[in-house]
């Protein structure tokens, strides 16, 4: 939802959760439903995420440096053949 003052509100969803996001400013040209994004900001007291910056992913093969860096900083980057720790099986040593 876009407001007359330039503020936009949208919801992001992954396989675990959905979060409401608010952002003041212009969204990236590639921003659209079903597109991967990275939102940088903080949660407000009411549980809404207030984004200071929104980055959009180009397609499944391309990752802008800013998005890759933000994902790595958040511990969410699994590119280059890496597996997420929570998905990797624990090996039993005997």
């Amino acid at each position: 939802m876009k407001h007359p003052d330039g503020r936009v509100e949208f919801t992001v969803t992954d396989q675990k959760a959905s979060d409401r996001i608010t952002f003041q400013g212009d969204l990236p040209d590639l921003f659209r439903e079903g597109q991967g994004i990275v939102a940088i900001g903080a949660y407000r007291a009411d549980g809404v995420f207030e984004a200071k910056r929104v980055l959009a992913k180009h397609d499944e093969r391309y990752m802008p440096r800013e998005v890759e860096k933000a994902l790595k900083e958040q511990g969410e980057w699994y590119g280059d053949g890496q597996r997420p720790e929570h998905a990797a099986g624990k090996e039993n040593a005997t």
Side-chain angles (χ1 to χ4, degrees):
M1 172 187 299
K2 188 162 186 157
H3 297 274
D5 65 358
R7 182 174 46 95
V8 292
E9 294 179 56
F10 55 94
T11 300
V12 294
T13 303
D14 66 10
Q15 295 177 1
K16 297 180 184 178
S18 293
D19 285 302
R20 286 187 37 220
I21 296 181
T22 184
F23 176 67
Q24 181 73 39
D26 294 324
L27 292 168
D29 291 338
L30 297 173
F31 183 90
R32 64 184 176 279
E33 187 172 340
Q35 185 70 31
I37 69 156
V38 173
I40 300 167
Y43 284 97
R44 301 185 315 207
D46 64 0
V48 173
F49 188 85
E50 187 170 338
K52 300 295 181 194
R53 193 164 177 209
V54 176
L55 306 170
K57 193 172 169 186
H58 183 267
D59 65 23
E60 291 305 314
R61 295 176 306 274
Y62 174 75
M63 177 74 69
R65 274 186 254 149
E66 299 97 3
V67 174
E68 182 178 334
K69 181 180 178 195
L71 288 172
K72 285 179 178 177
E73 288 172 356
Q74 295 173 19
E76 294 293 330
W77 173 252
Y78 308 123
D80 303 323
Q82 299 174 11
R83 290 179 67 193
E85 284 185 31
H86 64 276
K90 295 191 181 207
E91 308 222 3
N92 293 328
T94 56

